[in-house]
Amino acid sequence: MSALVYAVKPKHRRKPTRRELELLEMIGAGTGATAAAEELGLTYWAMKSRLAKLREVTGLSGLNELVYWALTEDHIRYEPTGMTCPLTPRHIEVVEGLTVAKGIHQMAKEFHVTPFGIERRIRVAREKTGAKTQPHLIAICYTEDWIS
């Protein structure tokens, strides 16, 4: 077989472990990654290792993407609170950009604003929704059906 066939061949994908999903669920619920690891009895490096393995399994790169993937695949669930959407359409576009791992600079070019403007929109969206972290913001927006 040629080297090209090996490059195209899909990697073996395993299902995420219960512990990895617990970690993602806590991160999506607004607990910081380090605090979630401590609560689960993991060291910082064990948490980093589990997240790295999960990134490898899913083929995703960022923590925001991982939480969004776990929500959309029904690995983790949150109950909607029935909150009305306090976000503007531009805030929602920025949150959707976070779910597909668009960088701050890439979104800034796309929306014709400065990177500081994007960071400000993320901060305002977190304040309006009461989210503690970016993954928590994504979880709130997804469970309330503000993003799909």
Side-chain angles (χ1 to χ4, degrees), residues 101-112:
K102 284 186 181 176
I104 301 282
H105 293 284
Q106 184 180 357
M107 284 191 281
K109 285 180 184 175
E110 187 178 317
F111 300 141
H112 305 290

Side-chain angles (χ1 to χ4, degrees), residues 20-63:
E20 291 166 345
L21 293 176
E22 284 177 350
L23 184 62
L24 272 185
E25 189 168 9
M26 291 179 75
I27 291 169
T31 307
T34 307
E38 286 176 9
E39 227 173 283
L40 292 173
L42 298 171
T43 64
Y44 174 81
W45 294 109
M47 178 262 308
K48 294 291 267 184
S49 173
R50 286 183 186 271
L51 289 176
K53 287 177 187 175
L54 197 53
R55 285 187 188 104
E56 184 181 318
V57 168
T58 60
L60 301 173
S61 58
L63 194 54

Side-chain angles (χ1 to χ4, degrees), residues 125-145:
R126 284 180 46 200
E127 288 171 1
K128 285 182 174 183
T129 58
K132 299 174 188 164
T133 61
Q134 285 183 17
H136 189 207
L137 174 63
I138 290 168
I140 290 170
C141 290
Y142 181 77
T143 56
E144 298 293 339
D145 286 331

Side-chain angles (χ1 to χ4, degrees), residues 2-147:
S2 70
L4 180 62
V5 174
Y6 288 116
V8 176
K9 197 173 185 181
K11 291 182 179 178
H12 171 70
R13 301 213 186 254
R14 66 168 174 77
K15 290 185 178 181
T17 65
R18 181 183 55 82
R19 197 76 157 164
E20 291 166 345
L21 293 176
E22 284 177 350
L23 184 62
L24 272 185
E25 189 168 9
M26 291 179 75
I27 291 169
T31 307
T34 307
E38 286 176 9
E39 227 173 283
L40 292 173
L42 298 171
T43 64
Y44 174 81
W45 294 109
M47 178 262 308
K48 294 291 267 184
S49 173
R50 286 183 186 271
L51 289 176
K53 287 177 187 175
L54 197 53
R55 285 187 188 104
E56 184 181 318
V57 168
T58 60
L60 301 173
S61 58
L63 194 54
N64 294 334
E65 278 185 291
L66 283 173
V67 169
Y68 184 68
W69 165 81
L71 286 164
T72 56
E73 296 292 320
D74 287 330
H75 291 300
I76 60 176
R77 294 177 189 218
Y78 298 108
E79 292 300 317
T81 59
M83 183 178 8
T84 57
C85 184
L87 304 178
T88 65
R90 192 60 103 175
H91 287 122
I92 290 178
E93 286 178 344
V94 170
V95 173
E96 287 175 341
L98 291 174
T99 64
V100 293
K102 284 186 181 176
I104 301 282
H105 293 284
Q106 184 180 357
M107 284 191 281
K109 285 180 184 175
E110 187 178 317
F111 300 141
H112 305 290
V113 295
T114 64
F116 177 74
I118 297 296
E119 290 172 355
R120 187 177 63 240
R121 285 187 178 122
I122 293 169
R123 187 181 67 244
V124 168
R126 284 180 46 200
E127 288 171 1
K128 285 182 174 183
T129 58
K132 299 174 188 164
T133 61
Q134 285 183 17
H136 189 207
L137 174 63
I138 290 168
I140 290 170
C141 290
Y142 181 77
T143 56
E144 298 293 339
D145 286 331
W146 301 337
I147 61 173

